[in-house]
């Protein structure tokens, strides 16, 4: 039921008693007073002694839907006095949207945001003022720019435009962002779960599909030779990227599969022990716990009050029965980097194996496993700009029993057994994720091109800004070391009075900020931190900007207010 009337505008002059909403065919509009004039409306109100909406007296005509694009400019002006905070928030949003899209200032300052295709009156204003429009009457866009005019509500000041390529950073983030069209209008802070892939990675996979798709292995036709060569080359690139001059670099589905391959591939006996830590992702805990069936015990080492790994406790936990230490290189909840080289030294002093879970380190810092000195190193391709369904297991010696047997992993099959192939093939039975592997090679090229040192320093700067910003918001608790210690851009926090899922939902709905909430597959740690509902986790990537960090902080500031 609507109060639209013929005399309101030319558009409404032909209004029928019933009409269908063109944008929503399920909505039937009924216009019972379409032939009334304003005089009749007011006489009716007076006659029936009906209450009048007080907002009319405040200058608002369109009170049915608040912040309706069809509101008059004068109504927006009124709004600034009636609801200054909401108006300020709306203006800040319009300005940052205009900056992101590359619209001229007139987009927000003249209310041009209210039309997709500008009506004749607005086109005339644009012509007079020199604002460029397209042939379809939409506004011309320019290059995206930092939301420099964004209002910092905390201080009532204007935020400083971010200098993304800062002295010493060496990373031109705005140029990098052009390779990630998916970034579009969102602020992606869920990189610890998975990262986005740049265009060269997508193109490498499309090229495989379009021009030489074939199975790899022993074939002689041209496609299979190209595919095999590129797939093999991707392994070489990945090995080089982590400093693996020797050993075997196997492609897996993800980190989880890589760790399971080790847990299943070693031979265990009752009484063996595995030492792991409370920082571990479930993927580096459950495969070890599962060995209980074979009589293997698992010890878990804690963290100290400053969130660092309790290294003395780790050394003390090692007994003559300990066979392996499994430790993460960087925490996916609190971002601390563990001293893996020191742990490797301890392990080798005791003659035990070390597995390092590099899922969160490889995408964010230079990693050289020849310096770490571990025996196994696992990580995920999809967290380092590679395709989903890609991961890696590097092993010093090919001593593991293959987890899966079948085609592609054998040199010869006899009546009673088989001779395993050498190299990674032994551990990649069946048709592998060929496009994914080649895409992962392209991701390595991309990261190498940017420089891992550059990526690390850019992300470090953002992390410090994020932690400092969050610490200034009342009601927000940050779970990060006070002192700057080696860490990656994974920051967990909670907000008083809100469940982490509520915070994450609010960030998405109100500011298009995508973060993760919950236990982050690391329940023992979040429970140890006394957070049964988990945390909100913002995790940074190389394409994130200072403006995005500020936007997160400002949105939380608003929420807590
Ligand atoms: N280890 C760590 C530290 C992680 O952060 C993750 C995923 O978030 C994993 C392991 C599991 O990775 P995937 O899901 O790729 O197997």
């Amino acid at each position: 039921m609507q109060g639209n009337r013929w005399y309101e505008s030319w558009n409404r002059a032909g209004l029928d008693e019933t009409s269908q909403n063109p944008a929503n065919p399920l909505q039937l509009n009924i216009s019972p007073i379409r032939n009334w004039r304003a005089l009749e409306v007011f006489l009716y109100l007076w006659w029936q002694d009906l209450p009048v909406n007080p907002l009319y007296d405040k200058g608002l005509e369109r009170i049915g839907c608040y912040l309706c694009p069809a509101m008059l400019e004068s109504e927006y002006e009124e709004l600034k006095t009636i609801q200054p905070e909401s108006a300020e928030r709306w203006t800040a949003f319009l300005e940052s949207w205009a900056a992101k899209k590359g619209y001229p200032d007139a987009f927000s300052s003249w209310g041009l945001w209210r039309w997709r295709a500008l009506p004749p009156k607005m086109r005339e204003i644009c012509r007079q003022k020199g604002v460029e429009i397209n042939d379809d009457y939409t506004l011309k866009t320019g290059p995206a720019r930092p939301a420099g005019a964004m209002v910092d509500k905390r201080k009532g000041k204007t935020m400083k435009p971010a200098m993304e390529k800062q002295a010493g950073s060496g990373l031109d983030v705005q140029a990098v962002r052009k390779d990630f069209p998916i970034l579009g209008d969102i602020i992606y802070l869920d990189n610890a779960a998975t990262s986005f892939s740049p265009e060269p990675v997508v193109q490498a996979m499309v090229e495989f599909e379009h021009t030489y798709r074939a199975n790899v292995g022993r074939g002689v036709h041209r496609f299979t030779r190209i595919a095999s060569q590129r797939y093999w080359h991707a392994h070489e690139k990945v090995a080089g990227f982590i400093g693996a001059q020797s050993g075997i670099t196997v492609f897996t589905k993800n980190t989880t599969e890589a760790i399971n391959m080790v847990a299943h591939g070693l031979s265990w006996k009752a009484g063996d022990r595995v030492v792991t830590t409370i920082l571990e992702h479930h993927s580096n805990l459950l495969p070890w716990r599962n060995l209980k069936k074979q009589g293997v015990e698992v010890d878990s080492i804690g963290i100290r009050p400053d969130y660092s790994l309790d290294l003395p406790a780790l050394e003390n936990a090692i007994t003559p029965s300990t066979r392996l230490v499994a430790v993460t290189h960087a925490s996916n909840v609190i971002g601390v980097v563990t001293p893996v080289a020191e742990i490797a030294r301890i392990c080798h002093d005791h003659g035990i194996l070390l597995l390092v879970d590099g899922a969160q380190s490889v995408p964010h810092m230079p990693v050289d496993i020849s310096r770490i000195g571990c025996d196994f190193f696992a990580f995920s391709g999809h967290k380092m700009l590679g395709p989903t369904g890609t991961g890696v297991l590097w092993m010093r010696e090919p001593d593991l029993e293959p987890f899966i047997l079948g085609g592609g992993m054998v040199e010869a099959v006899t009546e009673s057994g088989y001779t395993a192939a050498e190299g990674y093939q032994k551990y990649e039975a069946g048709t592998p994720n060929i496009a994914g592997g080649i895409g992962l090679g392209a991701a390595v090229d991309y990261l190498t091109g940017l420089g891992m040192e550059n990526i690390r320093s850019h992300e470090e700067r953002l992390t410090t800004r994020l932690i400092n910003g969050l610490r200034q918001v009342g009601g927000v608790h940050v779970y990060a070391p006070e002192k700057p210690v080696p860490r990656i851009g994974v920051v967990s926090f909670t907000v008083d009075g809100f469940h982490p899922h509520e915070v994450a939902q609010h960030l998405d709905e109100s500011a298009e900020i995508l973060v993760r909430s919950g236990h982050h597959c690391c329940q023992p740690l979040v429970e140890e931190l006394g957070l049964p509902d988990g945390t909100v986790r913002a995790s940074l990537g190389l394409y994130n900007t200072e403006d995005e960090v500020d936007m997160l902080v400002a949105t939380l500031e608003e929420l807590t207010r």
Side-chain angles (χ1 to χ4, degrees), residues 350-391:
H350 291 82
I352 55 184
L353 297 167
L354 172 62
L355 175 139
V356 175
D357 172 354
Q360 296 297 343
S361 61
V362 175
H364 305 290
M365 55 199 262
V367 169
D368 184 346
I369 53 169
S370 67
R371 283 169 176 240
I372 295 175
C374 55
D375 301 281
F376 302 100
F377 193 87
F379 56 104
S380 303
H382 67 94
K383 295 184 200 285
M384 51 179 283
L385 315 186
T388 54
T390 63

Short mmCIF file of all heavy atoms in Angstrom, two decimals, residues 350-391:
data_model
loop_
_atom_site.label_atom_id
_atom_site.label_comp_id
_atom_site.label_asym_id
_atom_site.label_seq_id
_atom_site.Cartn_x
_atom_site.Cartn_y
_atom_site.Cartn_z
N HIS A 350 69.35 -33.95 19.89
CA HIS A 350 68.73 -35.14 20.49
C HIS A 350 68.46 -36.23 19.46
O HIS A 350 67.82 -37.25 19.77
CB HIS A 350 67.42 -34.78 21.20
CG HIS A 350 67.62 -33.94 22.43
ND1 HIS A 350 67.80 -32.58 22.39
CD2 HIS A 350 67.70 -34.29 23.74
CE1 HIS A 350 67.95 -32.10 23.61
NE2 HIS A 350 67.90 -33.13 24.44
N GLY A 351 68.85 -35.97 18.24
CA GLY A 351 68.67 -36.99 17.19
C GLY A 351 67.21 -37.26 16.85
O GLY A 351 66.83 -38.40 16.57
N ILE A 352 66.39 -36.21 16.87
CA ILE A 352 64.98 -36.43 16.53
C ILE A 352 64.57 -35.57 15.33
O ILE A 352 65.26 -34.61 14.99
CB ILE A 352 64.04 -36.16 17.74
CG1 ILE A 352 64.25 -34.76 18.28
CG2 ILE A 352 64.22 -37.19 18.81
CD1 ILE A 352 63.43 -34.47 19.51
N LEU A 353 63.48 -35.96 14.73
CA LEU A 353 63.05 -35.29 13.50
C LEU A 353 62.27 -34.01 13.84
O LEU A 353 61.62 -33.94 14.88
CB LEU A 353 62.13 -36.23 12.69
CG LEU A 353 62.77 -37.52 12.19
CD1 LEU A 353 61.70 -38.48 11.69
CD2 LEU A 353 63.78 -37.21 11.08
N LEU A 354 62.31 -33.07 12.90
CA LEU A 354 61.55 -31.83 13.09
C LEU A 354 60.68 -31.59 11.86
O LEU A 354 61.18 -31.56 10.73
CB LEU A 354 62.49 -30.63 13.28
CG LEU A 354 61.80 -29.26 13.28
CD1 LEU A 354 60.81 -29.12 14.44
CD2 LEU A 354 62.84 -28.13 13.35
N LEU A 355 59.39 -31.41 12.12
CA LEU A 355 58.48 -30.98 11.05
C LEU A 355 58.06 -29.55 11.35
O LEU A 355 57.63 -29.25 12.46
CB LEU A 355 57.24 -31.88 10.99
CG LEU A 355 56.19 -31.42 9.97
CD1 LEU A 355 55.59 -32.60 9.22
CD2 LEU A 355 55.07 -30.59 10.59
N VAL A 356 58.20 -28.68 10.35
CA VAL A 356 57.76 -27.29 10.51
C VAL A 356 56.54 -27.06 9.62
O VAL A 356 56.56 -27.41 8.44
CB VAL A 356 58.90 -26.31 10.16
CG1 VAL A 356 58.39 -24.87 10.21
CG2 VAL A 356 60.07 -26.49 11.11
N ASP A 357 55.51 -26.49 10.24
CA ASP A 357 54.31 -26.12 9.49
C ASP A 357 54.48 -24.66 9.06
O ASP A 357 54.37 -23.74 9.87
CB ASP A 357 53.09 -26.29 10.42
CG ASP A 357 51.80 -25.74 9.81
OD1 ASP A 357 51.86 -25.14 8.74
OD2 ASP A 357 50.75 -25.92 10.46
N GLY A 358 54.76 -24.49 7.77
CA GLY A 358 55.04 -23.14 7.26
C GLY A 358 53.83 -22.50 6.59
O GLY A 358 54.00 -21.54 5.81
N ALA A 359 52.62 -22.97 6.91
CA ALA A 359 51.43 -22.45 6.22
C ALA A 359 51.31 -20.94 6.35
O ALA A 359 50.89 -20.25 5.42
CB ALA A 359 50.17 -23.13 6.77
N GLN A 360 51.70 -20.42 7.53
CA GLN A 360 51.53 -18.97 7.73
C GLN A 360 52.82 -18.19 7.55
O GLN A 360 52.80 -16.96 7.59
CB GLN A 360 50.96 -18.70 9.14
CG GLN A 360 49.58 -19.26 9.37
CD GLN A 360 48.52 -18.64 8.45
OE1 GLN A 360 48.73 -17.59 7.84
NE2 GLN A 360 47.38 -19.30 8.34
N SER A 361 53.93 -18.86 7.37
CA SER A 361 55.18 -18.09 7.21
C SER A 361 55.53 -17.87 5.74
O SER A 361 55.85 -16.75 5.34
CB SER A 361 56.33 -18.81 7.93
OG SER A 361 56.55 -20.10 7.39
N VAL A 362 55.44 -18.93 4.94
CA VAL A 362 55.91 -18.83 3.55
C VAL A 362 55.25 -17.67 2.77
O VAL A 362 55.93 -16.98 2.02
CB VAL A 362 55.71 -20.18 2.82
CG1 VAL A 362 56.08 -20.08 1.35
CG2 VAL A 362 56.55 -21.25 3.49
N PRO A 363 53.96 -17.40 2.97
CA PRO A 363 53.36 -16.31 2.19
C PRO A 363 53.83 -14.91 2.63
O PRO A 363 53.60 -13.95 1.90
CB PRO A 363 51.85 -16.44 2.49
CG PRO A 363 51.67 -17.79 3.09
CD PRO A 363 52.95 -18.13 3.76
N HIS A 364 54.43 -14.81 3.80
CA HIS A 364 54.63 -13.47 4.37
C HIS A 364 56.07 -13.09 4.68
O HIS A 364 56.32 -11.95 5.07
CB HIS A 364 53.79 -13.34 5.65
CG HIS A 364 52.35 -13.65 5.42
ND1 HIS A 364 51.53 -12.81 4.69
CD2 HIS A 364 51.60 -14.72 5.77
CE1 HIS A 364 50.32 -13.36 4.62
NE2 HIS A 364 50.34 -14.52 5.26
N MET A 365 57.01 -14.01 4.58
CA MET A 365 58.40 -13.67 4.92
C MET A 365 59.35 -14.55 4.11
O MET A 365 58.96 -15.64 3.67
CB MET A 365 58.62 -13.87 6.42
CG MET A 365 58.26 -15.25 6.92
SD MET A 365 58.01 -15.27 8.70
CE MET A 365 59.60 -15.89 9.20
N PRO A 366 60.57 -14.10 3.93
CA PRO A 366 61.51 -14.97 3.21
C PRO A 366 61.76 -16.22 4.06
O PRO A 366 62.00 -16.11 5.26
CB PRO A 366 62.79 -14.11 3.12
CG PRO A 366 62.38 -12.72 3.49
CD PRO A 366 61.17 -12.83 4.34
N VAL A 367 61.69 -17.38 3.44
CA VAL A 367 61.93 -18.64 4.18
C VAL A 367 63.04 -19.39 3.46
O VAL A 367 62.99 -19.57 2.24
CB VAL A 367 60.64 -19.50 4.23
CG1 VAL A 367 60.95 -20.89 4.75
CG2 VAL A 367 59.58 -18.84 5.10
N ASP A 368 64.01 -19.80 4.24
CA ASP A 368 65.13 -20.56 3.67
C ASP A 368 65.29 -21.82 4.52
O ASP A 368 65.86 -21.77 5.61
CB ASP A 368 66.39 -19.69 3.72
CG ASP A 368 67.57 -20.40 3.06
OD1 ASP A 368 67.47 -21.61 2.82
OD2 ASP A 368 68.58 -19.72 2.80
N ILE A 369 64.77 -22.93 4.02
CA ILE A 369 64.79 -24.12 4.87
C ILE A 369 66.21 -24.67 5.06
O ILE A 369 66.46 -25.39 6.00
CB ILE A 369 63.84 -25.23 4.37
CG1 ILE A 369 64.11 -25.56 2.92
CG2 ILE A 369 62.40 -24.88 4.60
CD1 ILE A 369 63.38 -26.79 2.48
N SER A 370 67.12 -24.28 4.16
CA SER A 370 68.49 -24.77 4.36
C SER A 370 69.07 -24.13 5.62
O SER A 370 69.96 -24.66 6.26
CB SER A 370 69.36 -24.48 3.14
OG SER A 370 69.54 -23.09 3.00
N ARG A 371 68.55 -22.97 6.01
CA ARG A 371 69.01 -22.32 7.24
C ARG A 371 68.25 -22.81 8.46
O ARG A 371 68.73 -22.75 9.58
CB ARG A 371 68.81 -20.81 7.15
CG ARG A 371 69.86 -20.17 6.29
CD ARG A 371 69.47 -18.74 6.03
NE ARG A 371 70.54 -18.10 5.29
CZ ARG A 371 71.21 -17.05 5.72
NH1 ARG A 371 70.93 -16.50 6.88
NH2 ARG A 371 72.15 -16.53 4.99
N ILE A 372 67.02 -23.22 8.23
CA ILE A 372 66.23 -23.71 9.39
C ILE A 372 66.80 -25.04 9.87
O ILE A 372 67.02 -25.24 11.06
CB ILE A 372 64.74 -23.87 9.01
CG1 ILE A 372 64.12 -22.51 8.67
CG2 ILE A 372 63.95 -24.53 10.15
CD1 ILE A 372 62.70 -22.57 8.16
N GLY A 373 66.99 -25.94 8.92
CA GLY A 373 67.56 -27.24 9.30
C GLY A 373 66.52 -28.23 9.77
O GLY A 373 66.79 -29.07 10.62
N CYS A 374 65.29 -28.14 9.21
CA CYS A 374 64.25 -29.10 9.59
C CYS A 374 64.32 -30.34 8.68
O CYS A 374 65.08 -30.36 7.71
CB CYS A 374 62.88 -28.45 9.51
SG CYS A 374 62.56 -27.74 7.89
N ASP A 375 63.47 -31.31 8.98
CA ASP A 375 63.43 -32.53 8.16
C ASP A 375 62.22 -32.56 7.23
O ASP A 375 62.27 -33.18 6.18
CB ASP A 375 63.41 -33.76 9.08
CG ASP A 375 64.64 -33.77 9.96
OD1 ASP A 375 65.71 -34.16 9.47
OD2 ASP A 375 64.55 -33.32 11.13
N PHE A 376 61.16 -31.92 7.70
CA PHE A 376 59.94 -31.82 6.87
C PHE A 376 59.45 -30.38 6.97
O PHE A 376 59.50 -29.77 8.05
CB PHE A 376 58.84 -32.75 7.39
CG PHE A 376 59.25 -34.19 7.43
CD1 PHE A 376 59.64 -34.78 8.63
CD2 PHE A 376 59.24 -34.96 6.28
CE1 PHE A 376 60.02 -36.11 8.67
CE2 PHE A 376 59.62 -36.30 6.31
CZ PHE A 376 60.02 -36.87 7.51
N PHE A 377 58.93 -29.88 5.85
CA PHE A 377 58.40 -28.51 5.85
C PHE A 377 57.12 -28.54 5.01
O PHE A 377 57.14 -28.94 3.84
CB PHE A 377 59.43 -27.54 5.27
CG PHE A 377 59.09 -26.10 5.50
CD1 PHE A 377 59.49 -25.46 6.67
CD2 PHE A 377 58.36 -25.39 4.57
CE1 PHE A 377 59.17 -24.12 6.91
CE2 PHE A 377 58.03 -24.05 4.79
CZ PHE A 377 58.44 -23.42 5.96
N ALA A 378 56.02 -28.14 5.63
CA ALA A 378 54.72 -28.22 4.94
C ALA A 378 54.14 -26.81 4.81
O ALA A 378 54.28 -25.99 5.72
CB ALA A 378 53.77 -29.09 5.76
N PHE A 379 53.49 -26.54 3.68
CA PHE A 379 52.78 -25.25 3.55
C PHE A 379 51.71 -25.33 2.46
O PHE A 379 51.61 -26.33 1.75
CB PHE A 379 53.76 -24.08 3.30
CG PHE A 379 54.67 -24.22 2.11
CD1 PHE A 379 54.43 -23.49 0.95
CD2 PHE A 379 55.78 -25.04 2.15
CE1 PHE A 379 55.28 -23.59 -0.14
CE2 PHE A 379 56.64 -25.15 1.07
CZ PHE A 379 56.39 -24.43 -0.08
N SER A 380 50.90 -24.28 2.41
CA SER A 380 49.74 -24.26 1.50
C SER A 380 49.98 -23.30 0.35
O SER A 380 50.32 -22.13 0.58
CB SER A 380 48.49 -23.78 2.25
OG SER A 380 48.23 -24.60 3.36
N GLY A 381 49.76 -23.77 -0.87
CA GLY A 381 49.88 -22.89 -2.03
C GLY A 381 48.79 -21.83 -2.04
O GLY A 381 49.01 -20.69 -2.43
N HIS A 382 47.59 -22.21 -1.59
CA HIS A 382 46.46 -21.29 -1.70
C HIS A 382 46.54 -20.12 -0.74
O HIS A 382 45.76 -19.17 -0.84
CB HIS A 382 45.14 -22.04 -1.48
CG HIS A 382 44.95 -22.56 -0.09
ND1 HIS A 382 44.28 -21.85 0.86
CD2 HIS A 382 45.38 -23.69 0.50
CE1 HIS A 382 44.28 -22.55 1.99
NE2 HIS A 382 44.94 -23.68 1.80
N LYS A 383 47.46 -20.17 0.23
CA LYS A 383 47.63 -19.02 1.13
C LYS A 383 48.73 -18.09 0.63
O LYS A 383 49.01 -17.07 1.22
CB LYS A 383 48.00 -19.51 2.54
CG LYS A 383 46.91 -20.32 3.24
CD LYS A 383 47.32 -20.68 4.64
CE LYS A 383 46.56 -21.84 5.22
NZ LYS A 383 45.20 -21.54 5.62
N MET A 384 49.41 -18.49 -0.42
CA MET A 384 50.52 -17.68 -0.95
C MET A 384 50.26 -17.30 -2.41
O MET A 384 51.14 -17.38 -3.25
CB MET A 384 51.85 -18.44 -0.81
CG MET A 384 51.82 -19.84 -1.37
SD MET A 384 53.39 -20.71 -1.24
CE MET A 384 54.32 -19.98 -2.57
N LEU A 385 49.00 -16.92 -2.65
CA LEU A 385 48.54 -16.43 -3.95
C LEU A 385 48.34 -17.53 -4.98
O LEU A 385 47.98 -17.26 -6.12
CB LEU A 385 49.48 -15.36 -4.55
CG LEU A 385 50.01 -14.24 -3.65
CD1 LEU A 385 50.79 -13.23 -4.50
CD2 LEU A 385 48.91 -13.54 -2.90
N GLY A 386 48.59 -18.78 -4.60
CA GLY A 386 48.40 -19.89 -5.54
C GLY A 386 46.93 -20.33 -5.56
O GLY A 386 46.11 -19.85 -4.78
N PRO A 387 46.64 -21.27 -6.44
CA PRO A 387 45.25 -21.76 -6.57
C PRO A 387 44.83 -22.56 -5.33
O PRO A 387 45.68 -23.10 -4.62
CB PRO A 387 45.31 -22.69 -7.78
CG PRO A 387 46.61 -22.41 -8.45
CD PRO A 387 47.54 -21.89 -7.42
N THR A 388 43.52 -22.66 -5.11
CA THR A 388 43.05 -23.54 -4.04
C THR A 388 43.36 -24.98 -4.47
O THR A 388 43.51 -25.27 -5.66
CB THR A 388 41.53 -23.39 -3.79
OG1 THR A 388 40.86 -23.59 -5.03
CG2 THR A 388 41.20 -22.02 -3.23
N GLY A 389 43.45 -25.85 -3.48
CA GLY A 389 43.78 -27.25 -3.79
C GLY A 389 45.27 -27.44 -4.04
O GLY A 389 45.67 -28.43 -4.66
N THR A 390 46.08 -26.50 -3.59
CA THR A 390 47.53 -26.69 -3.74
C THR A 390 48.23 -26.54 -2.40
O THR A 390 47.87 -25.68 -1.59
CB THR A 390 48.16 -25.70 -4.74
OG1 THR A 390 48.02 -24.36 -4.26
CG2 THR A 390 47.55 -25.80 -6.12
N GLY A 391 49.22 -27.38 -2.19
CA GLY A 391 50.04 -27.34 -0.98
C GLY A 391 51.36 -28.02 -1.28
O GLY A 391 51.56 -28.54 -2.40
#
